[in-house]
Amino acid sequence: MEKEMELSFYDGVRACLPTVLGYAGIGIAAGVVGRASHLSVLEVTLLAIIVYAGAAQFIISGLLLLQSPISAIIFTTFLINSRHFLMSMAEAPHFKKYSLLNNIGIGALLTDETFGVSMNQIGNKKPVSAKWMHGINVTAYIAWIAACILGSFIGNWLPNPEQFGLDFALSAMFIGLLYLQVVSDKSKKIATSLVIMLMVAILLIVFMRFMTPELAILAATLLGCLIGVIVEKWQ
């Protein structure tokens, strides 16, 4: 009976559809920026397929334009994407009953957006399943690749993407996801979430005086998680 109630792959596809428009906007922007950095359509496509990370792809395009050494590009990309360790650790407890292969598949395609969709489901005490998570991840992956390819073609006619504000697309997407997460998470008060976010922002500003922005984000996020746990237990 429990197996029949399990969310399917197609349920995951449907859950991901509201974020596809966001993927389209950011992916097109990433493709345009890639072309503006003198990458070919094939190279932009390979970045989308292999790297599959909006922030990292923007940074890689910029570093390539500056002719940075490959070691610096790899290290910077690693630091930018190291937040995925935190997201995967938050997801893992909810998929313990599934196989190692299923968990590897979930972790390999996990993004900020699919993490937001799944944690919103979990935060509202709704069921999740490996098939459902694969549906979200695969839909997002295909949408991202298609958007980057489209953006790379559009980039032939938009040599200066900043002029159209496309460099702000990623930030806009994160702001939208943050808003949805705060207003839809019924497990905690909005005021509590806002206070924790404010504390994380203050910690981030302080840490950035002593370390790189990527490490500062990780440290502030970890402390923010700890503060959130303490606040929840105290309440």
Side-chain angles (χ1 to χ4, degrees):
M1 183 70 175
E2 187 181 343
K3 221 169 187 179
E4 293 174 359
M5 297 288 291
E6 191 174 83
L7 292 173
S8 69
F9 180 91
Y10 298 104
D11 289 325
V13 172
R14 285 192 290 271
C16 187
L17 289 179
T19 68
V20 167
L21 189 60
Y23 274 103
I26 299 169
I28 289 172
V32 171
V33 170
R35 291 293 286 139
S37 302
H38 311 303
L39 295 177
S40 68
V41 173
L42 176 61
E43 287 168 335
V44 170
T45 303
L46 289 174
L47 271 180
I49 294 171
I50 299 170
V51 177
Y52 183 42
Q57 286 176 226
F58 281 106
I59 293 294
I60 289 170
S61 296
L63 291 176
L64 287 173
L65 191 61
L66 294 172
Q67 297 182 332
S68 301
I70 189 67
S71 57
I73 294 173
I74 292 172
F75 183 64
T76 302
T77 303
F78 173 78
L79 285 179
I80 290 170
N81 289 333
S82 55
R83 68 187 185 283
H84 286 267
F85 289 116
L86 298 177
M87 293 192 297
S88 296
M89 285 191 290
E91 291 270 339
H94 305 285
F95 297 95
K96 285 190 296 186
K97 66 178 182 179
Y98 297 102
S99 68
L100 176 62
L101 192 61
N102 267 311
N103 278 273
I104 290 173
I106 291 169
L109 293 182
L110 190 67
T111 66
D112 300 276
E113 293 80 12
T114 59
F115 173 77
V117 172
S118 59
M119 291 308 291
N120 182 51
Q121 181 92 345
I122 292 166
N124 288 315
K125 311 297 182 186
K126 294 180 180 178
V128 294
S129 71
K131 289 180 181 178
W132 177 79
M133 197 66 208
H134 292 320
I136 296 175
N137 282 342
V138 172
T139 303
Y141 188 47
I142 293 172
W144 177 257
I145 294 170
C148 287
I149 294 172
L150 178 59
S152 67
F153 283 109
I154 294 175
N156 292 324
W157 298 282
L158 292 177
N160 185 15
E162 289 85 1
Q163 183 180 351
F164 299 91
L166 291 177
D167 54 326
F168 186 69
L170 192 67
S171 301
M173 178 68 168
F174 285 149
I175 291 169
L177 283 171
L178 179 62
Y179 170 77
L180 290 174
Q181 179 67 23
V182 170
V183 300
S184 61
D185 188 354
K186 307 301 181 186
S187 63
K188 57 181 71 70
K189 296 178 181 177
I190 292 180
T192 302
S193 298
L194 291 176
V195 168
I196 294 171
M197 285 191 296
L198 178 62
M199 294 180 76
V200 171
I202 293 171
L203 288 170
L204 178 61
I205 293 170
V206 173
F207 289 155
M208 284 180 67
R209 294 179 175 271
F210 308 102
M211 55 184 77
T212 64
E214 294 79 21
L215 289 176
I217 289 172
L218 275 177
T221 303
L222 285 170
L223 272 177
C225 292
L226 178 61
I227 292 169
V229 170
I230 293 172
V231 168
E232 282 193 0
K233 286 188 175 180
W234 180 69
Q235 288 181 336

